[in-house]
Amino acid sequence: FNYKKYLYYQKIYYLLEIDKIEIISNKSNIFYRVKNVINGYLLKFKNYDYLLAFIIGNDDYLNSKMVSNYQVLGTSHLFAISGSNIILFAQCLIFIFKKLKITENKRYYLVMLFLIFFCFLTNFSASVIRASLFFSLLSLNKIFYTNIKTINIYLLTLTILIFINPNILYDLGAQYSFVTSLGLILFSDKLNNKNYFVSLIKISFIAFLFSLPISAINFYELNFLSIVNNLILVPLISLVVSPASLIVM
């Protein structure tokens, strides 16, 4: 692991040691104020470390030893905001807007505006930007009846993100996000099954298979039990913990 290269790809070119910090003014920007209010609100809870991780993808407060254990288990991705989280947020909002009698097209536009703010809230995390842009393009495809294939929308998403920031290719979270999403799209016709757990087994296996090279190259170890671990933890997080975190918030 080359820390200097890692910082370079994050567009961080210098490290400074600060002896003294003095606040000279408060940020009046409404977006930063809302962001601070949300962070401050979540920090009041007993399990704020989990809430921050599951809601806005901030894992800074998680115990490092615990995070290391999740990495060994092959389930650390559960603490990253990904496509499944974006879909959960979007579906919740669409349901609320539907109850408010807002037309279908307007619902999608409102969700897209929320996702832009959510990207800001999560400090423009690569995986969040990828999932948000992909969902937005899928929504536009539906609104305007362009009938573009999902794989082509995926490639368009990738092209736009690389055009905006070529360094995103070196982001480990983005690599996992792009590769596993590609696998799930390519084998989407094989994943349709009336049995939820059969579909989950297939999804877990495909995600493991496609992410295997990245794990091997970066961590020099593979945990084949991660397929089984994900079968237990993914439904727990997706169906119970994440929705419960949103309800708490």
Side-chain angles (χ1 to χ4, degrees):
F1 177 72
N2 189 315
Y3 187 51
K4 185 178 180 181
K5 281 186 178 180
Y6 167 78
L7 292 176
Y8 179 79
Y9 295 142
Q10 300 295 321
K11 296 185 177 181
I12 299 170
Y13 308 113
Y14 299 95
L15 294 178
L16 304 177
E17 272 193 23
I18 308 299
D19 296 320
K20 182 183 177 183
I21 298 175
E22 181 183 350
I23 298 173
I24 55 173
S25 67
N26 290 317
K27 199 82 173 177
S28 59
N29 186 300
I30 184 66
F31 292 109
Y32 284 101
R33 288 171 68 181
V34 171
K35 187 175 183 178
N36 288 335
V37 167
I38 292 171
N39 274 284
Y41 176 72
L42 292 174
L43 285 169
K44 292 178 181 178
F45 288 90
K46 184 179 179 180
N47 296 319
Y48 63 87
D49 47 353
Y50 281 97
L51 286 175
L52 284 165
F54 288 127
I55 294 174
I56 58 175
N58 184 353
D59 58 2
D60 293 342
Y61 296 92
L62 291 172
N63 182 284
S64 57
K65 186 177 180 181
M66 184 185 69
V67 173
S68 178
N69 289 335
Y70 280 111
Q71 288 174 343
V72 172
L73 289 170
T75 56
S76 58
H77 62 88
L78 295 171
F79 293 101
I81 300 293
S82 61
S84 58
N85 299 90
I86 297 299
I87 290 168
L88 175 64
F89 292 145
Q91 286 178 337
C92 288
L93 288 171
I94 288 170
F95 175 78
I96 293 168
F97 295 148
K98 190 175 181 180
K99 291 295 181 183
L100 293 172
K101 308 295 183 184
I102 296 173
T103 59
E104 186 179 24
N105 286 1
K106 287 181 180 178
R107 282 179 228 153
Y108 284 106
Y109 287 130
L110 287 170
V111 171
M112 283 187 267
L113 285 173
F114 165 79
L115 291 179
I116 292 171
F117 174 72
F118 189 68
C119 286
F120 166 76
L121 199 62
T122 56
N123 295 321
F124 296 98
S125 163
S127 58
V128 175
I129 293 173
R130 198 275 314 162
S132 298
L133 181 58
F134 185 57
F135 178 86
S136 298
L137 291 175
L138 283 173
S139 299
L140 292 172
N141 188 39
K142 185 176 182 180
I143 291 168
F144 295 106
Y145 301 99
T146 49
N147 298 318
I148 300 172
K149 291 182 179 179
T150 304
I151 186 65
N152 291 333
I153 292 177
Y154 166 84
L155 293 171
L156 178 61
T157 303
L158 182 59
T159 304
I160 291 170
L161 292 177
I162 293 173
F163 182 76
I164 294 170
N165 178 20
N167 288 334
I168 199 169
L169 286 174
Y170 299 100
D171 185 288
L172 196 58
Q175 289 175 16
Y176 274 117
S177 182
F178 283 129
V179 170
T180 53
S181 296
L182 176 62
L184 295 174
I185 291 170
L186 290 175
F187 291 92
S188 58
D189 57 326
K190 307 290 184 184
L191 301 177
N192 294 324
N193 196 295
K194 291 180 180 179
N195 189 312
Y196 172 76
F197 288 99
V198 172
S199 295
L200 195 62
I201 291 169
K202 291 179 179 179
I203 290 169
S204 185
F205 179 73
I206 290 170
F208 171 78
L209 204 62
F210 273 76
S211 62
L212 189 148
I214 300 173
S215 299
I217 290 168
N218 289 280
F219 303 114
Y220 309 105
E221 64 180 16
L222 298 171
N223 186 347
F224 291 96
L225 281 176
S226 65
I227 300 172
V228 180
N229 294 333
N230 281 309
L231 290 178
I232 300 167
L233 292 174
V234 169
L236 180 65
I237 299 300
S238 302
L239 302 177
V240 181
V241 178
S242 288
S245 299
L246 285 175
I247 291 168
V248 166
M249 183 178 176

